[in-house]
Amino acid sequence: MEKYVIIGGNRLSGKVRLSGGKNAVLTILPACLMSKGVCTLYDVPRLSDVFVMIEVLERLGAKVEFYGNKMTVDASQIVSIEVSEHLTRMMRASNLVMGPILSRFREVKVAYPGGCSIGSRPMDQHLRGMKALGAHVTERYGYIEAQATKLAGAEICLDFPSVGATENLMMTATLADGVTILRNAAREPEIVDLQCFLNNMGARIKGAGTDVIKIDGVKELNSAEHSIIPDRVEAGTFIIIAALTKGDVVIENIIPEHLEAVIAKVREAGVEILELNNNLRVTCRKQIRGVDIKTMPFPGFPTDMQAQLMAMLAVSEGTGVITETIFENRYKHVDEFRRMGADIRVEGHVAIVKGVKKLSGAYVEASDLRAGAALVTAGLIAEGVSVIGNLQHIDRGYEGLESKLRDLGADIIRVEDINGK
Ligand code: EPZ
């Protein structure tokens, strides 16, 4: 298994360009299945999750070509409507092929994606919406099956703004007969990007980015070209890395309004962030102050930045309180931070982080991709050497992380573990 070895203490400076967004491409790739033609995507990040999604599409019969960050998807010859457990267990987001396959072929069979280290992650909101659109849904033998002789537009109100359910139901309703109104919809930028792509293919959707989305069903979708929006979580991660290393970093290809809550909170902690068109310049010459955050659906503070902010609080002056409201089990990184000398107490959904002067390097393991990024952040500022295991989590969501960090002056290398564990 590969590991990062990091020698902490370097100030990072220079320019870093964000990759295309993991969570944007993981819903746009399944959407390509709805087109009878060939779709061309630009700024596609080379991430392990993207390669898993390519395998899902190819198993269904799509032809995918991926060179550099350009991808073409030919979904003219889909030969299957089933996604196996092997794939859905590898990546929960493979459940996002349900809406596209159901809407185009009126039937779909997907192995239950199951939970992961951050929570059980059920799909009740997805299935309730598909039933409202006319699908007959059964859950048995570890599979979810949905069939519909007819999909008809409906009024659907989500119990809470689930990102995946909003995406799956937008795609299901796109080829249904009539108008669907999706209320209490998620407002994440990835949903706006999906609406833009679907409309490029000939869909008639409006309202993405608000909590009410109107989908006017159409008969079929055509080819389209699309550039994936930049990764807002990668952006937030580099903001915190630049701040904690007391560096001076320009982050390029950023859309600041995609992470206003993160920018506001980091500024509140004392970090200077200058917006220059679609670049941010991050510097920090003062001692960072402890701040409180509560993770919320967009536009609130994103749960995907919770671990990275904890790394910042771990070395802030004073105490910060984190309340995680989105996932029921997203504090697995706390034990790893403690190995590095952090002073953190968890009580249910709340983590109380008391800043310490310095973290010390240690051997730590990533439990999920955002925890991994947060541990890298901690290693960059810790005293001495840190070794970070379970890199497969980080490779899911950060394209070329070590080379981007080395270009900014970090002392980080990726090594193969000699005894292969
Ligand atoms: C998306 O997951 C993202 N993944 C997650 O990013 C992100 O953390 C999450 O949205 C919240 O912003 C992708 O876009 C591929 P949800 P998703 O449906 O769609 C519960 C990362 O690190 N829920 O908004 O699965 C669910 O268990 C990943 O990049 C139900 O109970 O998130 C969770 O507690 C991690 N029933 C909460 O809602 C449902 O039917 C939010 O889930 C659906 C979800």
Side-chain angles (χ1 to χ4, degrees):
M1 302 287 268
E2 293 182 312
K3 292 178 170 57
Y4 278 151
V5 177
I6 302 174
I7 301 175
N10 296 9
R11 280 170 185 262
L12 301 197
S13 62
K15 291 180 180 178
V16 60
R17 183 175 175 75
L18 298 175
S19 298
K22 168 182 88 80
N23 292 344
V25 72
L26 289 180
T27 188
I28 282 173
L29 272 178
C32 294
L33 294 167
M34 301 167 74
S35 166
K36 293 186 170 165
V38 179
C39 291
T40 304
L41 304 176
Y42 301 97
D43 296 334
V44 180
R46 300 186 74 83
L47 302 169
S48 55
D49 270 8
V50 170
F51 287 102
V52 172
M53 188 60 87
I54 289 171
E55 191 178 339
V56 172
L57 268 56
E58 288 178 335
R59 291 279 180 96
L60 294 169
K63 290 183 187 54
V64 181
E65 298 199 350
F66 191 14
Y67 300 110
N69 295 111
K70 180 183 171 185
M71 185 184 288
T72 58
V73 181
D74 176 353
S76 55
Q77 307 295 328
I78 297 301
V79 296
S80 164
I81 53 100
E82 183 174 334
V83 181
S84 72
E85 181 181 350
H86 159 69
L87 289 168
T88 56
R89 277 194 183 280
M90 273 171 83
M91 182 181 65
R92 170 189 171 77
S94 38
N95 67 6
L96 293 173
V97 304
M98 279 193 77
I101 297 292
L102 177 62
S103 67
R104 185 171 166 191
F105 300 103
R106 298 299 193 259
E107 63 172 329
V108 64
K109 184 177 176 185
V110 174
Y112 210 83
C116 62
S117 66
I118 59 177
S120 64
R121 305 183 75 177
M123 285 188 60
D124 54 298
Q125 298 297 307
H126 301 240
L127 306 183
R128 200 164 63 81
M130 288 175 184
K131 289 174 187 165
L133 290 163
H136 174 65
V137 177
T138 52
E139 296 177 71
R140 54 185 175 178
Y141 315 125
Y143 275 81
I144 300 167
E145 294 186 59
Q147 286 100 12
T149 41
K150 182 175 164 13
L151 286 175
E155 285 254 352
I156 302 167
C157 186
L158 293 177
D159 293 348
F160 59 85
S162 154
V163 172
T166 301
E167 292 163 345
N168 246 331
L169 295 175
M170 270 170 78
M171 294 189 282
T172 307
T174 291
L175 297 176
D177 301 325
V179 175
T180 295
I181 305 288
L182 193 51
R183 298 187 190 286
N184 199 18
R187 298 164 53 187
E188 273 70 3
E190 290 75 26
I191 291 171
V192 179
D193 207 33
L194 176 63
Q195 171 181 279
C196 174
F197 179 56
L198 288 169
N199 286 344
N200 283 349
M201 289 202 279
R204 286 207 296 263
I205 307 172
K206 53 187 181 190
T210 75
D211 61 349
V212 181
I213 300 176
K214 179 173 179 271
I215 305 108
D216 195 348
V218 295
K219 285 284 168 260
E220 63 179 24
L221 295 182
N222 311 306
S223 307
E225 296 203 353
H226 185 76
S227 290
I228 305 293
I229 54 171
D231 195 309
R232 61 190 169 98
V233 182
E234 184 189 23
T237 305
F238 274 106
I239 288 174
I240 289 190
I241 286 172
L244 293 193
T245 60
K246 297 277 183 285
D248 183 348
V249 175
V250 174
I251 300 170
E252 298 178 327
N253 184 38
I254 191 167
I255 301 176
E257 51 272 13
H258 286 178
L259 62 161
E260 292 299 7
V262 173
I263 292 170
K265 197 46 79 171
V266 175
R267 277 179 172 148
E268 184 189 329
V271 178
E272 296 102 63
I273 299 177
L274 199 60
E275 290 185 31
L276 318 154
N277 305 324
N278 60 348
N279 293 346
L280 281 193
R281 181 173 178 191
V282 183
T283 52
C284 183
R285 280 179 284 276
K286 296 183 282 192
Q287 168 61 38
I288 290 172
R289 292 186 298 276
V291 290
D292 298 341
I293 62 148
K294 186 174 185 180
T295 63
M296 295 294 282
F298 193 88
F301 192 93
T303 175
D304 293 347
M305 280 298 302
Q306 180 252 98
Q308 299 90 315
L309 193 98
M310 187 180 281
M312 186 182 90
L313 295 179
V315 291
S316 299
E317 192 174 52
T319 298
V321 178
I322 295 176
T323 308
E324 173 57 61
T325 72
I326 306 293
F327 288 103
E328 70 266 25
N329 185 24
R330 203 168 197 175
Y331 283 136
K332 286 207 168 148
H333 38 280
V334 169
D335 287 340
E336 302 307 301
F337 279 128
R338 285 190 184 125
R339 287 170 185 274
M340 301 177 81
D343 179 351
I344 305 170
R345 200 171 75 248
V346 175
E347 290 175 11
H349 283 268
V350 175
I352 297 110
V353 187
K354 209 160 149 229
V356 296
K357 275 255 170 300
K358 263 268 180 223
L359 294 175
S360 59
Y363 174 76
V364 289
E365 292 197 339
S367 49
D368 71 79
L369 83 100
R370 307 306 174 184
L375 291 168
V376 168
T377 305
L380 290 169
I381 56 166
E383 201 157 42
V385 179
S386 295
V387 176
I388 295 164
N390 286 349
L391 290 196
Q392 71 278 11
H393 290 298
I394 297 175
D395 293 341
R396 294 186 54 186
Y398 288 86
E399 184 182 46
L401 182 59
E402 66 268 22
S403 53
K404 286 178 179 173
L405 288 171
R406 265 204 302 278
D407 290 349
L408 291 173
D411 204 335
I412 177 173
I413 54 167
R414 179 188 279 254
V415 296
E416 182 64 43
D417 193 289
I418 33 170
N419 49 22
K421 67 174 175 37

PDB file of all heavy atoms in Angstrom, residues 33 52 63 70 72-73 111 143 196 208 219 223 257-258 268 271 407 421:
ATOM      1  N   LEU A  33     -25.420   8.859 -20.079  1.00  0.00           N
ATOM      2  CA  LEU A  33     -26.155   7.631 -20.480  1.00  0.00           C
ATOM      3  C   LEU A  33     -27.511   7.975 -21.090  1.00  0.00           C
ATOM      4  O   LEU A  33     -28.132   7.148 -21.743  1.00  0.00           O
ATOM      5  CB  LEU A  33     -26.358   6.722 -19.265  1.00  0.00           C
ATOM      6  CG  LEU A  33     -25.111   6.109 -18.647  1.00  0.00           C
ATOM      7  CD1 LEU A  33     -25.437   5.504 -17.283  1.00  0.00           C
ATOM      8  CD2 LEU A  33     -24.497   5.066 -19.580  1.00  0.00           C
ATOM      9  N   VAL A  52     -13.649   4.404 -11.704  1.00  0.00           N
ATOM     10  CA  VAL A  52     -14.701   3.447 -11.302  1.00  0.00           C
ATOM     11  C   VAL A  52     -15.981   3.755 -12.072  1.00  0.00           C
ATOM     12  O   VAL A  52     -16.638   2.856 -12.610  1.00  0.00           O
ATOM     13  CB  VAL A  52     -14.950   3.512  -9.771  1.00  0.00           C
ATOM     14  CG1 VAL A  52     -16.171   2.667  -9.402  1.00  0.00           C
ATOM     15  CG2 VAL A  52     -13.728   3.028  -8.993  1.00  0.00           C
ATOM     16  N   LYS A  63     -19.210   3.486 -24.602  1.00  0.00           N
ATOM     17  CA  LYS A  63     -17.798   3.500 -25.020  1.00  0.00           C
ATOM     18  C   LYS A  63     -17.185   4.812 -24.536  1.00  0.00           C
ATOM     19  O   LYS A  63     -17.706   5.898 -24.865  1.00  0.00           O
ATOM     20  CB  LYS A  63     -17.693   3.393 -26.537  1.00  0.00           C
ATOM     21  CG  LYS A  63     -18.095   1.989 -27.052  1.00  0.00           C
ATOM     22  CD  LYS A  63     -17.922   1.844 -28.559  1.00  0.00           C
ATOM     23  CE  LYS A  63     -18.492   0.522 -29.043  1.00  0.00           C
ATOM     24  NZ  LYS A  63     -19.958   0.413 -28.579  1.00  0.00           N
ATOM     25  N   LYS A  70      -9.647  15.259 -21.096  1.00  0.00           N
ATOM     26  CA  LYS A  70     -10.757  15.281 -22.065  1.00  0.00           C
ATOM     27  C   LYS A  70     -11.342  13.880 -22.176  1.00  0.00           C
ATOM     28  O   LYS A  70     -10.613  12.883 -22.231  1.00  0.00           O
ATOM     29  CB  LYS A  70     -10.254  15.736 -23.435  1.00  0.00           C
ATOM     30  CG  LYS A  70     -11.377  15.789 -24.490  1.00  0.00           C
ATOM     31  CD  LYS A  70     -10.856  16.179 -25.867  1.00  0.00           C
ATOM     32  CE  LYS A  70     -11.937  16.024 -26.936  1.00  0.00           C
ATOM     33  NZ  LYS A  70     -11.438  16.268 -28.300  1.00  0.00           N
ATOM     34  N   THR A  72     -14.653  11.417 -23.955  1.00  0.00           N
ATOM     35  CA  THR A  72     -15.858  11.286 -24.785  1.00  0.00           C
ATOM     36  C   THR A  72     -16.620  10.049 -24.308  1.00  0.00           C
ATOM     37  O   THR A  72     -16.008   9.041 -23.934  1.00  0.00           O
ATOM     38  CB  THR A  72     -15.493  11.107 -26.282  1.00  0.00           C
ATOM     39  OG1 THR A  72     -14.668   9.956 -26.392  1.00  0.00           O
ATOM     40  CG2 THR A  72     -14.794  12.336 -26.824  1.00  0.00           C
ATOM     41  N   VAL A  73     -17.940  10.161 -24.269  1.00  0.00           N
ATOM     42  CA  VAL A  73     -18.809   9.044 -23.851  1.00  0.00           C
ATOM     43  C   VAL A  73     -19.837   8.804 -24.953  1.00  0.00           C
ATOM     44  O   VAL A  73     -20.621   9.698 -25.286  1.00  0.00           O
ATOM     45  CB  VAL A  73     -19.542   9.371 -22.526  1.00  0.00           C
ATOM     46  CG1 VAL A  73     -20.422   8.180 -22.108  1.00  0.00           C
ATOM     47  CG2 VAL A  73     -18.545   9.719 -21.422  1.00  0.00           C
ATOM     48  N   ALA A 111     -27.282  -2.732  -7.454  1.00  0.00           N
ATOM     49  CA  ALA A 111     -26.996  -3.313  -6.129  1.00  0.00           C
ATOM     50  C   ALA A 111     -26.970  -2.190  -5.109  1.00  0.00           C
ATOM     51  O   ALA A 111     -26.503  -1.079  -5.402  1.00  0.00           O
ATOM     52  CB  ALA A 111     -25.654  -4.031  -6.147  1.00  0.00           C
ATOM     53  N   TYR A 143     -30.500  -5.879  -4.037  1.00  0.00           N
ATOM     54  CA  TYR A 143     -30.638  -5.040  -5.240  1.00  0.00           C
ATOM     55  C   TYR A 143     -31.859  -4.129  -5.111  1.00  0.00           C
ATOM     56  O   TYR A 143     -32.829  -4.457  -4.450  1.00  0.00           O
ATOM     57  CB  TYR A 143     -30.795  -5.907  -6.500  1.00  0.00           C
ATOM     58  CG  TYR A 143     -29.466  -6.353  -7.086  1.00  0.00           C
ATOM     59  CD1 TYR A 143     -28.791  -7.449  -6.556  1.00  0.00           C
ATOM     60  CD2 TYR A 143     -28.879  -5.648  -8.133  1.00  0.00           C
ATOM     61  CE1 TYR A 143     -27.567  -7.847  -7.077  1.00  0.00           C
ATOM     62  CE2 TYR A 143     -27.648  -6.043  -8.669  1.00  0.00           C
ATOM     63  CZ  TYR A 143     -27.002  -7.130  -8.129  1.00  0.00           C
ATOM     64  OH  TYR A 143     -25.789  -7.522  -8.632  1.00  0.00           O
ATOM     65  N   CYS A 196     -27.066  22.555 -16.307  1.00  0.00           N
ATOM     66  CA  CYS A 196     -26.464  23.177 -17.499  1.00  0.00           C
ATOM     67  C   CYS A 196     -26.158  22.105 -18.549  1.00  0.00           C
ATOM     68  O   CYS A 196     -26.506  22.247 -19.730  1.00  0.00           O
ATOM     69  CB  CYS A 196     -25.201  23.907 -17.045  1.00  0.00           C
ATOM     70  SG  CYS A 196     -24.229  24.577 -18.377  1.00  0.00           S
ATOM     71  N   ALA A 208     -32.257  25.078 -10.781  1.00  0.00           N
ATOM     72  CA  ALA A 208     -31.124  24.481 -10.040  1.00  0.00           C
ATOM     73  C   ALA A 208     -30.344  25.596  -9.339  1.00  0.00           C
ATOM     74  O   ALA A 208     -30.131  26.666  -9.904  1.00  0.00           O
ATOM     75  CB  ALA A 208     -30.224  23.711 -10.978  1.00  0.00           C
ATOM     76  N   LYS A 219     -38.648  14.179 -24.977  1.00  0.00           N
ATOM     77  CA  LYS A 219     -38.675  12.816 -25.517  1.00  0.00           C
ATOM     78  C   LYS A 219     -37.293  12.171 -25.516  1.00  0.00           C
ATOM     79  O   LYS A 219     -37.127  11.003 -25.173  1.00  0.00           O
ATOM     80  CB  LYS A 219     -39.220  12.820 -26.965  1.00  0.00           C
ATOM     81  CG  LYS A 219     -40.731  13.018 -27.031  1.00  0.00           C
ATOM     82  CD  LYS A 219     -41.492  11.740 -26.656  1.00  0.00           C
ATOM     83  CE  LYS A 219     -42.981  11.989 -26.428  1.00  0.00           C
ATOM     84  NZ  LYS A 219     -43.257  12.087 -24.953  1.00  0.00           N
ATOM     85  N   SER A 223     -26.368  14.735 -28.263  1.00  0.00           N
ATOM     86  CA  SER A 223     -24.969  14.917 -27.853  1.00  0.00           C
ATOM     87  C   SER A 223     -24.780  16.313 -27.271  1.00  0.00           C
ATOM     88  O   SER A 223     -25.580  17.218 -27.529  1.00  0.00           O
ATOM     89  CB  SER A 223     -24.052  14.773 -29.080  1.00  0.00           C
ATOM     90  OG  SER A 223     -24.337  13.568 -29.714  1.00  0.00           O
ATOM     91  N   GLU A 257     -17.843  32.106  -5.396  1.00  0.00           N
ATOM     92  CA  GLU A 257     -19.202  31.972  -4.837  1.00  0.00           C
ATOM     93  C   GLU A 257     -19.577  30.515  -4.551  1.00  0.00           C
ATOM     94  O   GLU A 257     -20.576  30.242  -3.905  1.00  0.00           O
ATOM     95  CB  GLU A 257     -20.265  32.656  -5.688  1.00  0.00           C
ATOM     96  CG  GLU A 257     -20.276  32.325  -7.120  1.00  0.00           C
ATOM     97  CD  GLU A 257     -19.336  33.246  -7.931  1.00  0.00           C
ATOM     98  OE1 GLU A 257     -18.509  33.968  -7.358  1.00  0.00           O
ATOM     99  OE2 GLU A 257     -19.431  33.188  -9.176  1.00  0.00           O
ATOM    100  N   HIS A 258     -18.736  29.568  -5.001  1.00  0.00           N
ATOM    101  CA  HIS A 258     -19.020  28.153  -4.682  1.00  0.00           C
ATOM    102  C   HIS A 258     -18.572  27.804  -3.267  1.00  0.00           C
ATOM    103  O   HIS A 258     -18.846  26.688  -2.792  1.00  0.00           O
ATOM    104  CB  HIS A 258     -18.317  27.218  -5.666  1.00  0.00           C
ATOM    105  CG  HIS A 258     -18.986  27.202  -7.008  1.00  0.00           C
ATOM    106  ND1 HIS A 258     -18.492  26.451  -8.053  1.00  0.00           N
ATOM    107  CD2 HIS A 258     -20.085  27.830  -7.472  1.00  0.00           C
ATOM    108  CE1 HIS A 258     -19.279  26.629  -9.108  1.00  0.00           C
ATOM    109  NE2 HIS A 258     -20.242  27.463  -8.780  1.00  0.00           N
ATOM    110  N   GLU A 268     -12.774  34.849   9.204  1.00  0.00           N
ATOM    111  CA  GLU A 268     -13.138  35.110  10.613  1.00  0.00           C
ATOM    112  C   GLU A 268     -12.017  34.627  11.534  1.00  0.00           C
ATOM    113  O   GLU A 268     -11.755  35.201  12.589  1.00  0.00           O
ATOM    114  CB  GLU A 268     -14.454  34.372  10.936  1.00  0.00           C
ATOM    115  CG  GLU A 268     -15.007  34.602  12.317  1.00  0.00           C
ATOM    116  CD  GLU A 268     -16.178  33.647  12.610  1.00  0.00           C
ATOM    117  OE1 GLU A 268     -16.916  33.273  11.658  1.00  0.00           O
ATOM    118  OE2 GLU A 268     -16.327  33.256  13.791  1.00  0.00           O
ATOM    119  N   VAL A 271      -7.416  34.820   8.591  1.00  0.00           N
ATOM    120  CA  VAL A 271      -6.635  34.584   7.364  1.00  0.00           C
ATOM    121  C   VAL A 271      -6.999  35.651   6.318  1.00  0.00           C
ATOM    122  O   VAL A 271      -8.167  36.035   6.199  1.00  0.00           O
ATOM    123  CB  VAL A 271      -6.954  33.177   6.805  1.00  0.00           C
ATOM    124  CG1 VAL A 271      -6.204  32.898   5.514  1.00  0.00           C
ATOM    125  CG2 VAL A 271      -6.619  32.105   7.847  1.00  0.00           C
ATOM    126  N   ASP A 407       5.067  21.492  -5.858  1.00  0.00           N
ATOM    127  CA  ASP A 407       5.253  22.723  -6.647  1.00  0.00           C
ATOM    128  C   ASP A 407       5.113  23.975  -5.780  1.00  0.00           C
ATOM    129  O   ASP A 407       5.615  25.042  -6.128  1.00  0.00           O
ATOM    130  CB  ASP A 407       4.228  22.801  -7.799  1.00  0.00           C
ATOM    131  CG  ASP A 407       4.514  21.753  -8.875  1.00  0.00           C
ATOM    132  OD1 ASP A 407       5.612  21.132  -8.801  1.00  0.00           O
ATOM    133  OD2 ASP A 407       3.664  21.525  -9.749  1.00  0.00           O
ATOM    134  N   LYS A 421       2.007  -3.704   3.384  1.00  0.00           N
ATOM    135  CA  LYS A 421       0.734  -3.768   4.127  1.00  0.00           C
ATOM    136  C   LYS A 421      -0.072  -2.484   3.946  1.00  0.00           C
ATOM    137  O   LYS A 421       0.472  -1.506   3.457  1.00  0.00           O
ATOM    138  CB  LYS A 421       0.983  -4.033   5.599  1.00  0.00           C
ATOM    139  CG  LYS A 421       1.677  -2.934   6.374  1.00  0.00           C
ATOM    140  CD  LYS A 421       1.688  -3.357   7.845  1.00  0.00           C
ATOM    141  CE  LYS A 421       2.440  -2.469   8.770  1.00  0.00           C
ATOM    142  NZ  LYS A 421       2.406  -1.057   8.578  1.00  0.00           N
TER     143      LYS A 421
END
